[in-house]
Each structure stands twice: as structure tokens, then as C-alpha cells.
Amino acid sequence: MNINRNILTLDEFTIQELRNFPAATGELSSLLRDMGLAAKRVNVEVNKAGLVDILGDYGTTNVQGEEVKKLDVYANNQFVGALKHGISCAGIGSEELDDVVIFDDPVSNNSKYVCLFDPLDGSSNIDVNVSIGTIFSVYRRVSERGKPCTKEDFLQQGNKQVAAGYVIYGSSTMFVYATKRGVNGFTLDPQIGEFCLSHPGIKCPEKGKIYSVNHGNFFQYEQGVKEYITACQKKTKADGGPYTQRYIGSMVADVHRNLIKGGIFTYPGTIDKPKGKLRLMYECNPFAYIVEKAGGKATNGKQRILDIQPTELHQRTPLFIGSNKMMEELETYLEEK
Ligand code: AHM
Ligand code: MG
């Protein structure tokens, strides 16, 4: 039968992927569906962010009778709740929570995966109507199934990720995720309330003309980084330029743009903060996995991000990530210095 309907929803796509693996249990599809559901709930609140004060005038509750909470706390609750009520996740780690949460109920203890996330990244941009996002990382647990998961399930190298993804709450809302089979992007169709496959097989261009860095920290960067940034500013047509500097201050938006258009995003260490600002487990690792699966590269300036052995949930790392050729050029500056 010829069915003239070729736009797949996120659920339909993950189920189609399952058909290629008869042994697969569908747990990852289920986890991605849970993340998609939480993202849709967060999206609704993000779109009302400017109204929070107005709704707050009713007292401490909003029109649905729920407490008006800060958006990042709200987002955290949605992702924790969706995974806790699902069947695929044994526990979570979140930027919003000091320690990991082990769900420890019979269904969760039998689940295959743990998930780490930054529920609302770029939170300084919420109040000013600029794109923000969610970033997540999925690992197969190493502890015995049937028992509560353990801290070791979370503190795995990024190269052990089974899937990673992000949601961007921007001019449209997108859900992008990567597995070993590649990177696919889904745009929320508000009319049917579903993420629909809009960017199949995302590949990061080998080269680009965009560099993203917080120039305000320039004099705090190490010499090699300063020289690379200066080289970006000096690019001419003859050597692949001129380059454009773009920095939104929401990593999700900055890396998403560079992934699609080609570019490099950096958050180097500074004199004050040698390890930079970004967190390894739920900001850098997921993006490193996604960008590598799309053909790009991610390092801390010395080492591949995905090979860093984590020691704590909230550890920070410098980050350089993006198009392959641009990363190769950056490395020549870091090596020389
Ligand atoms: P957050 O997790 O508190 O929102 O901070 C992370 C954000 C990234 O999205 C962004 O790349 C970076 O912080 C911007 O920091 P800065 O303002 O120092 O450039
Ligand atoms: Mg963050």
C-alpha cells in the first residue's frame, strides 16, 4: 500500500530505528519519548516566561493552581518526573541537584539506563527572550539490573554514551538527538503537539566561518587561545574568511547554529577559572558526542572531551567544539603555545 505520508514524528522515527534491530527492547525509544514529553511541557512554560510576573500577581499560584516556580526548577521537575514515571531510567543527575537521584523502585531498578541533564541551559537569557535549551546524556548502567543504580553508572567517560541530545526553545522548538547511527533533528509542530523529523542525518560542515567565544574574557585566556582568536579576526577571503563572531550566551543555541552552518564554539579556561565554566557531564559530554557523530570534534584543548574520566558529577572543563578543519587549525595554536 502506498501511504502518502512521509513526515515521521519522534516516536515513529525511534520505532522505525528499532525495526533495524530485532533484539532491541525499545527502552531507549521510551526514554526519548519521556524526554520529548517533558520538553513539550517546558516549551509551554518557556513561551509564557514573560507572563510569570503577571500570573504571579494572583498570589503564589498560577491559573492552573500550581505554584509559580522559577523556570529552571520547573524544567528540572518535568524531566525528573517524566523519567521517574517512565520504564527506562534507573536514576538521574541534574545541574539543578547536588547529587544523583536513584529512583529505587521495582520498575526503575530493572531499567537499563541512567540520564544526566541540564534542564534549562542559558538561564541568564530567560528574562530577555533569547533562546535557551535542555541538554541530556544517556548511559547504559554498569551496575547489576534488578538493583538500585549506583554513582558509578553516572561517572562514565563520555565515549560510553548510548545517546545524547538537546532541545532548543528558539524561534521554533527543536529536539535533536544522536546515537551511534547518527544525528537527527525534529521540529515541534505546535498544531499537533509532536516533534516531527525536519533535519535527518545532520552533518557538521567540515569548515565554517563562525567563531563563538566570550570576548569579554579575552585577556584572561591562555596565549594560544588569544592568538587563535586574533587569527580568526584577521581571516581574509584568501584563507577562508572573513570570519563572523557570534555568541548568544546559550550554549545550546550557539552550538546548534554552528552544527548546522559550520563553526567553532569555545569556552576556554580563564585565569580566574582555569577549568572554565561549562560542566562535563551534562553540557560538554552530550554536545561532544552529538558533534562527533555529526563529523566534528570536541576537546578541552589537550584531550578529547569524550575520553575524560569524570570524578564528580558537577566537574567543569574548558571546551573547544565544532567543525573538523577549524578544530584542527585551533589545535596548531594550542600545541605551539
Ligand atoms: P547555565 O547552565 O548557568 O545557564 O550556564 C551555561 C551557559 C552556557 O549556555 C553559555 O555558553 C555560557 O553559560 C555563557 O557563559 P558566559 O556568560 O560566561 O559567556
Ligand atoms: Mg547550563
Side-chain angles (χ1 to χ4, degrees):
M1 188 173 35
N2 183 16
I3 302 173
N4 185 15
R5 176 179 167 278
N6 49 19
I7 299 178
L8 294 176
T9 67
L10 175 62
D11 284 359
E12 288 172 335
F13 181 83
T14 61
I15 290 164
Q16 178 180 283
E17 293 280 284
L18 272 181
R19 294 207 165 99
N20 299 318
F21 294 96
T25 59
E27 278 188 71
L28 186 61
S29 304
S30 162
L31 188 148
L32 292 167
R33 182 169 56 235
D34 297 339
M35 294 302 282
L37 174 64
K40 284 189 260 184
R41 289 193 165 131
V42 171
N43 181 58
V44 169
E45 291 305 305
V46 166
N47 284 326
K48 296 195 299 207
L51 289 171
V52 164
D53 285 343
I54 299 166
L55 297 177
D57 283 344
Y58 288 101
T60 53
T61 55
N62 66 15
V63 281
Q64 284 94 38
E66 298 157 343
E67 232 182 297
V68 178
K69 290 210 173 86
K70 279 181 69 191
L71 209 46
D72 38 11
V73 177
Y74 176 85
N76 185 58
N77 289 344
Q78 294 311 315
F79 286 100
V80 177
L83 293 173
K84 186 170 167 52
H85 293 120
I87 57 159
S88 315
C89 187
I92 60 99
S94 165
E95 190 191 74
E96 287 291 325
L97 303 169
D98 288 344
D99 208 352
V100 299
V101 177
I102 293 168
F103 291 151
D104 194 8
D105 61 71
V107 174
S108 302
N109 289 348
N110 269 314
S111 304
K112 217 188 215 174
Y113 301 111
V114 295
C115 189
L116 291 135
F117 48 82
D118 180 352
L120 213 65
D121 183 63
S123 28
S124 66
N125 282 326
I126 296 172
D127 296 344
V128 287
N129 220 344
V130 173
S131 296
I132 47 183
T134 297
I135 315 168
F136 66 93
S137 172
V138 182
Y139 289 88
R140 188 171 291 117
R141 54 189 290 200
V142 290
S143 60
E144 194 185 330
R145 277 176 85 173
K147 297 194 171 152
C149 64
T150 65
K151 197 81 177 261
E152 284 64 50
D153 296 321
F154 296 91
L155 295 181
Q156 299 190 57
Q157 289 179 6
N159 57 38
K160 297 278 183 349
Q161 287 171 102
V162 172
Y166 62 88
V167 185
I168 176 166
Y169 311 97
S171 46
S172 60
T173 299
M174 275 188 78
F175 186 107
V176 177
Y177 82 92
T179 63
K180 64 181 178 200
R181 293 170 56 79
V183 188
N184 290 285
F186 302 79
T187 302
L188 183 64
D189 178 343
Q191 286 192 306
I192 59 168
E194 292 286 352
F195 288 106
C196 295
L197 183 61
S198 53
H199 295 62
I202 295 173
K203 292 276 172 240
C204 182
E206 280 254 287
K207 295 181 201 162
K209 293 184 187 229
I210 299 171
Y211 71 103
S212 309
V213 65
N214 185 338
H215 265 289
N217 293 336
F218 184 87
F219 291 103
Q220 293 241 0
Y221 295 143
E222 65 180 87
Q223 190 60 19
V225 174
K226 284 185 197 161
E227 289 182 17
Y228 174 71
I229 294 170
T230 307
C232 288
Q233 293 172 317
K234 287 183 178 165
K235 289 273 179 196
T236 62
K237 208 168 177 181
D239 53 1
Y243 277 10
T244 297
Q245 199 277 353
R246 291 280 180 270
Y247 191 75
I248 294 170
S250 282
M251 183 193 186
V252 175
D254 278 313
V255 180
H256 174 73
R257 180 202 52 237
N258 293 1
L259 178 66
I260 305 289
K261 291 192 168 180
I264 190 166
F265 171 90
T266 72
Y267 203 113
T270 61
I271 295 168
D272 292 344
K273 294 181 184 163
K275 291 185 174 167
K277 175 182 183 190
L278 300 174
R279 317 286 187 138
L280 175 65
M281 300 305 293
Y282 39 78
E283 293 179 325
C284 301
N285 266 340
F287 268 119
Y289 184 87
I290 295 162
V291 168
E292 281 201 10
K293 290 296 171 220
K297 262 186 120 172
T299 74
N300 65 0
K302 296 186 176 68
Q303 185 186 9
R304 187 180 173 222
I305 289 287
L306 295 181
D307 290 340
I308 298 174
Q309 177 59 52
T311 51
E312 30 171 333
L313 181 61
H314 297 293
Q315 81 190 60
R316 297 175 198 269
T317 175
L319 176 68
F320 303 89
I321 186 167
S323 293
N324 226 349
K325 294 280 179 221
M326 297 176 87
M327 285 293 293
E328 280 170 13
E329 187 181 352
L330 164 78
E331 277 159 20
T332 64
Y333 285 86
L334 301 184
E335 275 159 22
E336 280 165 24
K337 313 297 154 192

